Amino acid sequence: MNRIAYMVLRCLPCVPSWFYRVWKLGRPSDTHTEQERYDYLRNIVKKVNRAGRVEVTGYGMEHIPEENGFILFPNHQGLFDMLAIIDTCPKSVGVVIKKEAAGIILVKQVIELLHGIAIDRKDIRSSFEVIRRMTEEVKNGRNYVIFAEGTRSRNGNQILEFKGGTFKSAVNAGCPIVPVALVNSFRPFDISSIKKEQVQVHYLKPLTKAQYMDMKTRDIAHLVHDEIQKKINENIA
């Protein structure tokens, strides 16, 4: 957590204006486009990452679909994950986040700006509602990020089993499924140091509807999991 405090201190003069702008952009009455809101947030994220001495490098951005209406499926290593994705992904994305985190100050305002969704993992009805809402919004051209492990891995670059249910929205919408391999994304906030860290974000070739239409969601989950773990293994010492 030392790095979070370091980031805040280095960015302190800008924090009040950033917070106000993010809050304003997240209000229902805001008239900016989704991409304009996202671009503003992305600019802040890049500055914060640099201030925190974290170098984020993206690979395979050509695999991000040109047409909106896709879902990114990254592995989940920790609090830094979304900072790494926003830093490298040029197209606006919403995010599905656990209800417990959605009420935290600043996180709440960012989720509102992204028009993200909070999920109560203990409530089955909430899960079905998230699937329904994501399906409709992706069909209408929105993009999302969802962490298929359901919770963060505590084993660094070794990822947990992916949950088949997290792929239901993609299957129902018939949208591209984009595997995303996060490498060393746990290090910035899990290691008690402010030394320079390097995080990699690898966007892998999407699975199209034609490729997965005859597969069960648990089989899709296994396939995406294995592709991500393979890419991680190729990029760690």
Side-chain angles (χ1 to χ4, degrees), residues 179-219:
V180 182
L182 297 172
V183 181
N184 291 331
S185 186
F186 66 97
R187 293 184 62 86
F189 292 160
D190 283 10
I191 295 177
S192 184
S193 168
I194 58 171
K195 71 177 184 179
K196 188 172 183 179
E197 293 287 353
Q198 295 184 337
V199 174
Q200 300 175 28
V201 184
H202 296 264
Y203 297 91
L204 309 185
K205 189 174 180 180
L207 289 176
T208 64
K209 180 180 179 180
Q211 291 173 300
Y212 66 69
M213 64 184 300
D214 294 325
M215 297 174 64
K216 295 180 179 179
T217 54
R218 66 171 179 268
D219 296 325

Short mmCIF file of all heavy atoms in Angstrom, two decimals, residues 179-219:
data_model
loop_
_atom_site.label_atom_id
_atom_site.label_comp_id
_atom_site.label_asym_id
_atom_site.label_seq_id
_atom_site.Cartn_x
_atom_site.Cartn_y
_atom_site.Cartn_z
N PRO A 179 -9.59 -12.39 -24.64
CA PRO A 179 -8.78 -12.74 -23.47
C PRO A 179 -7.70 -11.68 -23.24
O PRO A 179 -7.11 -11.17 -24.20
CB PRO A 179 -8.14 -14.08 -23.87
CG PRO A 179 -8.94 -14.57 -25.04
CD PRO A 179 -9.41 -13.34 -25.74
N VAL A 180 -7.45 -11.35 -21.98
CA VAL A 180 -6.44 -10.35 -21.64
C VAL A 180 -5.54 -10.94 -20.55
O VAL A 180 -6.02 -11.33 -19.49
CB VAL A 180 -7.07 -9.04 -21.13
CG1 VAL A 180 -5.98 -8.00 -20.83
CG2 VAL A 180 -8.07 -8.49 -22.15
N ALA A 181 -4.25 -10.99 -20.83
CA ALA A 181 -3.28 -11.53 -19.88
C ALA A 181 -2.57 -10.40 -19.16
O ALA A 181 -1.85 -9.61 -19.79
CB ALA A 181 -2.27 -12.42 -20.60
N LEU A 182 -2.78 -10.29 -17.86
CA LEU A 182 -2.10 -9.31 -17.03
C LEU A 182 -0.89 -9.98 -16.39
O LEU A 182 -1.03 -11.02 -15.74
CB LEU A 182 -3.03 -8.77 -15.94
CG LEU A 182 -4.28 -8.02 -16.43
CD1 LEU A 182 -5.20 -7.72 -15.25
CD2 LEU A 182 -3.89 -6.73 -17.13
N VAL A 183 0.27 -9.37 -16.57
CA VAL A 183 1.52 -9.92 -16.04
C VAL A 183 2.10 -8.94 -15.01
O VAL A 183 2.32 -7.76 -15.33
CB VAL A 183 2.54 -10.17 -17.17
CG1 VAL A 183 3.82 -10.77 -16.59
CG2 VAL A 183 1.94 -11.08 -18.24
N ASN A 184 2.32 -9.43 -13.81
CA ASN A 184 2.91 -8.63 -12.72
C ASN A 184 2.03 -7.46 -12.28
O ASN A 184 2.52 -6.50 -11.68
CB ASN A 184 4.30 -8.11 -13.09
CG ASN A 184 5.32 -9.23 -13.18
OD1 ASN A 184 5.19 -10.25 -12.50
ND2 ASN A 184 6.33 -9.04 -14.01
N SER A 185 0.73 -7.54 -12.53
CA SER A 185 -0.17 -6.47 -12.12
C SER A 185 -0.38 -6.45 -10.61
O SER A 185 -0.85 -5.46 -10.05
CB SER A 185 -1.52 -6.62 -12.83
OG SER A 185 -2.36 -5.53 -12.56
N PHE A 186 0.00 -7.53 -9.93
CA PHE A 186 -0.12 -7.58 -8.47
C PHE A 186 1.00 -6.81 -7.77
O PHE A 186 0.87 -6.38 -6.63
CB PHE A 186 -0.09 -9.04 -7.99
CG PHE A 186 1.22 -9.74 -8.22
CD1 PHE A 186 2.17 -9.83 -7.20
CD2 PHE A 186 1.52 -10.32 -9.45
CE1 PHE A 186 3.38 -10.46 -7.41
CE2 PHE A 186 2.73 -10.97 -9.66
CZ PHE A 186 3.67 -11.04 -8.64
N ARG A 187 2.11 -6.60 -8.46
CA ARG A 187 3.30 -6.07 -7.81
C ARG A 187 3.18 -4.61 -7.33
O ARG A 187 3.62 -4.30 -6.22
CB ARG A 187 4.52 -6.22 -8.73
CG ARG A 187 4.92 -7.68 -8.99
CD ARG A 187 6.19 -7.75 -9.84
NE ARG A 187 7.32 -7.13 -9.17
CZ ARG A 187 8.11 -7.74 -8.29
NH1 ARG A 187 7.89 -9.02 -7.98
NH2 ARG A 187 9.11 -7.11 -7.73
N PRO A 188 2.60 -3.70 -8.11
CA PRO A 188 2.59 -2.30 -7.65
C PRO A 188 1.97 -2.09 -6.28
O PRO A 188 2.49 -1.29 -5.49
CB PRO A 188 1.78 -1.59 -8.75
CG PRO A 188 2.02 -2.40 -9.98
CD PRO A 188 2.05 -3.82 -9.48
N PHE A 189 0.88 -2.78 -5.97
CA PHE A 189 0.19 -2.52 -4.72
C PHE A 189 0.40 -3.62 -3.66
O PHE A 189 0.12 -3.40 -2.49
CB PHE A 189 -1.31 -2.34 -4.95
CG PHE A 189 -1.65 -1.08 -5.71
CD1 PHE A 189 -2.87 -0.96 -6.37
CD2 PHE A 189 -0.78 -0.01 -5.77
CE1 PHE A 189 -3.20 0.20 -7.07
CE2 PHE A 189 -1.09 1.15 -6.47
CZ PHE A 189 -2.30 1.25 -7.12
N ASP A 190 0.87 -4.78 -4.06
CA ASP A 190 1.05 -5.87 -3.10
C ASP A 190 2.43 -5.86 -2.46
O ASP A 190 2.61 -6.40 -1.37
CB ASP A 190 0.81 -7.23 -3.77
CG ASP A 190 -0.67 -7.52 -3.96
OD1 ASP A 190 -1.47 -6.60 -3.76
OD2 ASP A 190 -1.01 -8.66 -4.32
N ILE A 191 3.40 -5.29 -3.15
CA ILE A 191 4.76 -5.26 -2.63
C ILE A 191 4.99 -3.94 -1.92
O ILE A 191 4.72 -2.86 -2.46
CB ILE A 191 5.78 -5.46 -3.76
CG1 ILE A 191 5.62 -6.87 -4.35
CG2 ILE A 191 7.20 -5.24 -3.26
CD1 ILE A 191 6.51 -7.15 -5.53
N SER A 192 5.48 -4.01 -0.70
CA SER A 192 5.66 -2.81 0.13
C SER A 192 6.92 -2.06 -0.28
O SER A 192 7.94 -2.09 0.41
CB SER A 192 5.73 -3.20 1.61
OG SER A 192 5.82 -2.05 2.41
N SER A 193 6.83 -1.40 -1.42
CA SER A 193 7.99 -0.69 -1.97
C SER A 193 7.48 0.33 -2.98
O SER A 193 6.37 0.21 -3.50
CB SER A 193 8.93 -1.68 -2.66
OG SER A 193 9.91 -1.00 -3.42
N ILE A 194 8.29 1.34 -3.25
CA ILE A 194 7.95 2.30 -4.31
C ILE A 194 8.99 2.26 -5.43
O ILE A 194 9.09 3.20 -6.22
CB ILE A 194 7.81 3.74 -3.75
CG1 ILE A 194 9.10 4.20 -3.06
CG2 ILE A 194 6.61 3.84 -2.83
CD1 ILE A 194 9.09 5.68 -2.70
N LYS A 195 9.75 1.17 -5.47
CA LYS A 195 10.70 1.04 -6.57
C LYS A 195 9.92 0.87 -7.88
O LYS A 195 8.76 0.45 -7.89
CB LYS A 195 11.63 -0.13 -6.35
CG LYS A 195 10.99 -1.50 -6.49
CD LYS A 195 12.02 -2.60 -6.33
CE LYS A 195 11.39 -3.97 -6.56
NZ LYS A 195 12.38 -5.06 -6.45
N LYS A 196 10.56 1.19 -8.99
CA LYS A 196 9.90 1.14 -10.29
C LYS A 196 9.45 -0.29 -10.60
O LYS A 196 10.19 -1.24 -10.40
CB LYS A 196 10.83 1.64 -11.39
CG LYS A 196 10.15 1.80 -12.74
CD LYS A 196 11.06 2.48 -13.74
CE LYS A 196 10.35 2.70 -15.07
NZ LYS A 196 11.23 3.39 -16.06
N GLU A 197 8.21 -0.41 -11.08
CA GLU A 197 7.66 -1.71 -11.46
C GLU A 197 7.20 -1.67 -12.91
O GLU A 197 6.83 -0.61 -13.43
CB GLU A 197 6.47 -2.09 -10.57
CG GLU A 197 6.83 -2.37 -9.11
CD GLU A 197 7.56 -3.69 -8.93
OE1 GLU A 197 7.69 -4.46 -9.91
OE2 GLU A 197 8.02 -3.94 -7.80
N GLN A 198 7.21 -2.82 -13.53
CA GLN A 198 6.75 -2.95 -14.91
C GLN A 198 5.59 -3.94 -14.98
O GLN A 198 5.70 -5.06 -14.46
CB GLN A 198 7.89 -3.40 -15.83
CG GLN A 198 9.02 -2.38 -15.94
CD GLN A 198 10.08 -2.81 -16.93
OE1 GLN A 198 10.24 -3.99 -17.23
NE2 GLN A 198 10.82 -1.84 -17.44
N VAL A 199 4.51 -3.51 -15.59
CA VAL A 199 3.32 -4.34 -15.74
C VAL A 199 3.03 -4.51 -17.23
O VAL A 199 3.13 -3.55 -18.00
CB VAL A 199 2.10 -3.70 -15.03
CG1 VAL A 199 0.83 -4.48 -15.32
CG2 VAL A 199 2.35 -3.60 -13.53
N GLN A 200 2.69 -5.71 -17.63
CA GLN A 200 2.36 -5.98 -19.03
C GLN A 200 0.87 -6.32 -19.17
O GLN A 200 0.30 -7.01 -18.32
CB GLN A 200 3.17 -7.17 -19.55
CG GLN A 200 4.67 -6.99 -19.50
CD GLN A 200 5.40 -8.25 -19.91
OE1 GLN A 200 4.89 -9.07 -20.71
NE2 GLN A 200 6.60 -8.44 -19.38
N VAL A 201 0.29 -5.82 -20.26
CA VAL A 201 -1.10 -6.16 -20.60
C VAL A 201 -1.10 -6.70 -22.02
O VAL A 201 -0.74 -5.99 -22.96
CB VAL A 201 -2.02 -4.92 -20.51
CG1 VAL A 201 -3.47 -5.34 -20.77
CG2 VAL A 201 -1.89 -4.24 -19.15
N HIS A 202 -1.46 -7.97 -22.16
CA HIS A 202 -1.47 -8.62 -23.47
C HIS A 202 -2.92 -8.88 -23.90
O HIS A 202 -3.64 -9.64 -23.24
CB HIS A 202 -0.72 -9.95 -23.41
CG HIS A 202 0.73 -9.83 -23.10
ND1 HIS A 202 1.71 -9.80 -24.07
CD2 HIS A 202 1.38 -9.69 -21.90
CE1 HIS A 202 2.89 -9.69 -23.50
NE2 HIS A 202 2.72 -9.62 -22.19
N TYR A 203 -3.32 -8.25 -25.01
CA TYR A 203 -4.64 -8.49 -25.58
C TYR A 203 -4.50 -9.62 -26.61
O TYR A 203 -3.77 -9.48 -27.59
CB TYR A 203 -5.19 -7.22 -26.24
CG TYR A 203 -5.40 -6.11 -25.24
CD1 TYR A 203 -4.39 -5.19 -24.97
CD2 TYR A 203 -6.60 -5.99 -24.54
CE1 TYR A 203 -4.56 -4.18 -24.02
CE2 TYR A 203 -6.78 -4.98 -23.60
CZ TYR A 203 -5.77 -4.08 -23.35
OH TYR A 203 -5.94 -3.09 -22.41
N LEU A 204 -5.17 -10.72 -26.36
CA LEU A 204 -5.04 -11.89 -27.22
C LEU A 204 -6.12 -11.88 -28.31
O LEU A 204 -7.09 -11.13 -28.24
CB LEU A 204 -5.12 -13.17 -26.38
CG LEU A 204 -4.20 -13.22 -25.16
CD1 LEU A 204 -4.28 -14.59 -24.49
CD2 LEU A 204 -2.77 -12.88 -25.52
N LYS A 205 -5.93 -12.73 -29.28
CA LYS A 205 -6.86 -12.79 -30.40
C LYS A 205 -8.26 -13.16 -29.91
O LYS A 205 -8.42 -14.12 -29.14
CB LYS A 205 -6.38 -13.82 -31.43
CG LYS A 205 -7.16 -13.80 -32.73
CD LYS A 205 -6.53 -14.75 -33.74
CE LYS A 205 -7.31 -14.73 -35.05
NZ LYS A 205 -6.73 -15.65 -36.06
N PRO A 206 -9.28 -12.40 -30.31
CA PRO A 206 -10.64 -12.66 -29.81
C PRO A 206 -11.21 -13.98 -30.30
O PRO A 206 -10.86 -14.48 -31.37
CB PRO A 206 -11.45 -11.48 -30.39
CG PRO A 206 -10.45 -10.48 -30.84
CD PRO A 206 -9.21 -11.23 -31.20
N LEU A 207 -12.09 -14.52 -29.48
CA LEU A 207 -12.93 -15.64 -29.91
C LEU A 207 -14.20 -15.04 -30.51
O LEU A 207 -14.86 -14.21 -29.87
CB LEU A 207 -13.31 -16.53 -28.74
CG LEU A 207 -12.22 -17.41 -28.11
CD1 LEU A 207 -12.80 -18.13 -26.90
CD2 LEU A 207 -11.70 -18.40 -29.12
N THR A 208 -14.55 -15.44 -31.71
CA THR A 208 -15.75 -14.93 -32.35
C THR A 208 -16.93 -15.87 -32.07
O THR A 208 -16.76 -17.02 -31.63
CB THR A 208 -15.56 -14.84 -33.87
OG1 THR A 208 -15.35 -16.16 -34.40
CG2 THR A 208 -14.34 -13.97 -34.20
N LYS A 209 -18.11 -15.37 -32.35
CA LYS A 209 -19.33 -16.17 -32.14
C LYS A 209 -19.25 -17.48 -32.90
O LYS A 209 -19.64 -18.54 -32.38
CB LYS A 209 -20.55 -15.37 -32.58
CG LYS A 209 -21.87 -16.12 -32.41
CD LYS A 209 -23.05 -15.28 -32.87
CE LYS A 209 -24.35 -16.04 -32.72
NZ LYS A 209 -25.51 -15.24 -33.17
N ALA A 210 -18.72 -17.44 -34.12
CA ALA A 210 -18.63 -18.65 -34.93
C ALA A 210 -17.73 -19.69 -34.28
O ALA A 210 -17.94 -20.90 -34.45
CB ALA A 210 -18.10 -18.30 -36.33
N GLN A 211 -16.74 -19.23 -33.50
CA GLN A 211 -15.80 -20.16 -32.87
C GLN A 211 -16.35 -20.80 -31.60
O GLN A 211 -15.99 -21.92 -31.27
CB GLN A 211 -14.49 -19.43 -32.56
CG GLN A 211 -13.68 -19.04 -33.79
CD GLN A 211 -12.50 -18.18 -33.43
OE1 GLN A 211 -12.63 -17.09 -32.87
NE2 GLN A 211 -11.30 -18.66 -33.73
N TYR A 212 -17.22 -20.05 -30.88
CA TYR A 212 -17.67 -20.59 -29.58
C TYR A 212 -19.15 -20.96 -29.54
O TYR A 212 -19.64 -21.46 -28.52
CB TYR A 212 -17.35 -19.62 -28.45
CG TYR A 212 -18.10 -18.29 -28.48
CD1 TYR A 212 -19.46 -18.20 -28.23
CD2 TYR A 212 -17.42 -17.10 -28.73
CE1 TYR A 212 -20.13 -17.00 -28.23
CE2 TYR A 212 -18.07 -15.89 -28.74
CZ TYR A 212 -19.43 -15.83 -28.49
OH TYR A 212 -20.10 -14.63 -28.51
N MET A 213 -19.88 -20.76 -30.61
CA MET A 213 -21.34 -20.91 -30.58
C MET A 213 -21.78 -22.32 -30.19
O MET A 213 -22.86 -22.51 -29.63
CB MET A 213 -21.96 -20.51 -31.91
CG MET A 213 -21.57 -21.35 -33.10
SD MET A 213 -22.26 -20.73 -34.66
CE MET A 213 -24.02 -20.81 -34.32
N ASP A 214 -20.97 -23.33 -30.45
CA ASP A 214 -21.35 -24.70 -30.12
C ASP A 214 -20.69 -25.19 -28.83
O ASP A 214 -20.79 -26.37 -28.48
CB ASP A 214 -20.99 -25.64 -31.27
CG ASP A 214 -21.80 -25.36 -32.53
OD1 ASP A 214 -22.98 -24.99 -32.38
OD2 ASP A 214 -21.25 -25.49 -33.64
N MET A 215 -20.02 -24.27 -28.11
CA MET A 215 -19.32 -24.64 -26.88
C MET A 215 -20.15 -24.28 -25.65
O MET A 215 -20.92 -23.32 -25.67
CB MET A 215 -17.97 -23.91 -26.80
CG MET A 215 -17.00 -24.27 -27.91
SD MET A 215 -15.49 -23.23 -27.85
CE MET A 215 -14.79 -23.75 -26.27
N LYS A 216 -20.00 -25.05 -24.58
CA LYS A 216 -20.60 -24.71 -23.31
C LYS A 216 -19.75 -23.64 -22.64
O LYS A 216 -18.54 -23.55 -22.88
CB LYS A 216 -20.71 -25.95 -22.42
CG LYS A 216 -21.64 -27.01 -22.98
CD LYS A 216 -21.72 -28.21 -22.06
CE LYS A 216 -22.69 -29.25 -22.62
NZ LYS A 216 -22.76 -30.45 -21.74
N THR A 217 -20.40 -22.84 -21.78
CA THR A 217 -19.65 -21.73 -21.17
C THR A 217 -18.47 -22.23 -20.33
O THR A 217 -17.44 -21.56 -20.27
CB THR A 217 -20.58 -20.86 -20.30
OG1 THR A 217 -21.26 -21.67 -19.34
CG2 THR A 217 -21.59 -20.11 -21.16
N ARG A 218 -18.60 -23.37 -19.70
CA ARG A 218 -17.47 -23.87 -18.90
C ARG A 218 -16.28 -24.25 -19.79
O ARG A 218 -15.12 -24.11 -19.39
CB ARG A 218 -17.89 -25.05 -18.04
CG ARG A 218 -18.27 -26.32 -18.78
CD ARG A 218 -18.47 -27.49 -17.80
NE ARG A 218 -18.86 -28.71 -18.48
CZ ARG A 218 -20.10 -29.09 -18.68
NH1 ARG A 218 -21.10 -28.32 -18.25
NH2 ARG A 218 -20.38 -30.23 -19.29
N ASP A 219 -16.58 -24.70 -21.03
CA ASP A 219 -15.50 -25.03 -21.96
C ASP A 219 -14.84 -23.76 -22.49
O ASP A 219 -13.62 -23.73 -22.70
CB ASP A 219 -16.04 -25.88 -23.10
CG ASP A 219 -16.56 -27.23 -22.63
OD1 ASP A 219 -15.96 -27.79 -21.68
OD2 ASP A 219 -17.57 -27.72 -23.18
#
